[in-house]
Amino acid sequence: GAVVSQHPSWVICKSGTSVKIECRSLDFQATTMFWYRQFPKQSLMLMATSNEGSKATYEQGVEKDKFLINHASLTLSTLTVTSAHPEDSSFYICSASRGAGYTFGSGTRLTVV
Amino acid sequence: GNSVTQMEGPVTLSEEAFLTINCTYTATGYPSLFWYVQYPGEGLQLLLKATKADDKGSNKGFEATYRKETTSFHLEKGSVQVSDSAVYFCALREEGGKLIFGQGTELSVKP
């Protein structure tokens, strides 16, 4: 079946540094990638939608200069949290879409200290 | 806008008990509906889905029926196991492909 590999699974970084999270679709080409953020015991909040080769569409209230999304190929999308702060600590999940189906990555736990 | 509302958790059951997790939605048109499951520290896995009214999705003993008249998609399982302990999310798909999630319901099954 379709598999999305998300790395790293967890990361700890210092305030002010940047962190890159990768999502790769291993056995299919993802026309669209969705990036979500999840706070403890809460639902998933859609941050942005990206299509290969074009700029990401960000949801209202999400800072596009802080959360940089690149979808350079049909199998790779990256989310870079720039100048991270403790309030950016969260669980980030990607989801790759091809046609009507969605495949989720296993998530990245980001802790900013 | 479109939205999904789930019953609040946590839900604690004994093994072999009957499970119902309520889910209702507000949407224009007739969106596809989904149930996803999230195990601790992991991403989401599709549990089941239904694409039109009166469809019944089923998988691993779980079932949910798309009820247009009550705008509901309640999740049921006749006999839960400890391994079913997880967080369950109801979701709908908007035109354009975005998924709208409910707030999630944590299920804990005790032996």
Side-chain angles (χ1 to χ4, degrees):
Chain A
V3 176
V4 170
S5 175
Q6 183 173 345
H7 291 282
S9 55
W10 60 270
V11 57
I12 301 173
C13 70
K14 292 185 177 181
S15 284
T17 61
S18 295
V19 173
K20 180 184 283 187
I21 301 169
E22 286 191 356
C23 266
R24 292 181 183 272
S25 54
L26 298 185
D27 48 4
F28 67 102
Q29 293 183 325
T31 52
T32 304
M33 194 75 80
F34 301 91
W35 287 94
Y36 295 88
R37 182 174 180 177
Q38 186 181 29
F39 293 99
K41 298 191 182 295
Q42 293 188 28
S43 189
L44 282 74
M45 181 192 78
L46 180 64
M47 299 174 67
T49 303
S50 72
N51 294 295
E52 182 265 339
S54 61
K55 287 185 178 180
T57 302
Y58 290 81
E59 296 299 301
Q60 192 171 8
V62 178
E63 298 176 60
K64 62 181 180 182
D65 293 331
K66 180 168 189 62
F67 299 100
L68 301 179
I69 291 172
N70 184 283
H71 194 165
S73 76
L74 285 170
T75 59
L76 174 64
S77 178
T78 61
L79 166 66
T80 302
V81 183
T82 63
S83 187
H85 288 95
E87 58 265 31
D88 298 324
S89 299
S90 193
F91 193 58
Y92 294 87
I93 305 175
C94 65
S95 173
S97 170
R98 181 187 60 170
Y102 304 87
T103 303
F104 286 81
S106 54
T108 298
R109 171 73 60 195
L110 170 63
T111 301
V112 185
V113 297
Chain B
N2 298 332
S3 66
V4 176
T5 303
Q6 288 178 237
M7 66 185 286
E8 288 192 20
V11 173
T12 302
L13 295 173
S14 297
E15 209 165 18
E16 299 184 2
F18 184 86
L19 168 72
T20 299
I21 300 178
N22 289 339
C23 170
T24 56
Y25 67 91
T26 302
T28 53
Y30 303 106
S32 294
L33 301 174
F34 304 81
W35 275 101
Y36 284 89
V37 58
Q38 183 181 33
Y39 297 100
E42 298 184 13
L44 272 66
Q45 301 175 29
L46 177 65
L47 183 58
L48 53 85
K49 67 178 181 182
T51 58
K52 61 183 188 297
D54 299 325
D55 265 3
K56 177 186 282 189
S58 62
N59 185 26
K60 300 180 181 178
F62 291 89
E63 292 183 341
T65 301
Y66 191 142
R67 300 285 187 202
K68 182 180 64 174
E69 60 278 8
T70 54
T71 61
S72 65
F73 193 53
H74 304 323
L75 182 68
E76 297 182 336
K77 186 174 185 181
S79 175
V80 293
Q81 305 300 312
V82 172
S83 57
D84 293 327
S85 298
V87 180
Y88 292 81
F89 291 94
C90 185
L92 67 81
R93 180 170 59 214
E94 292 188 324
E95 285 193 29
K98 281 198 289 189
L99 287 176
I100 305 297
F101 288 91
Q103 67 269 40
T105 302
E106 183 179 359
L107 170 65
S108 177
V109 181
K110 306 297 184 186

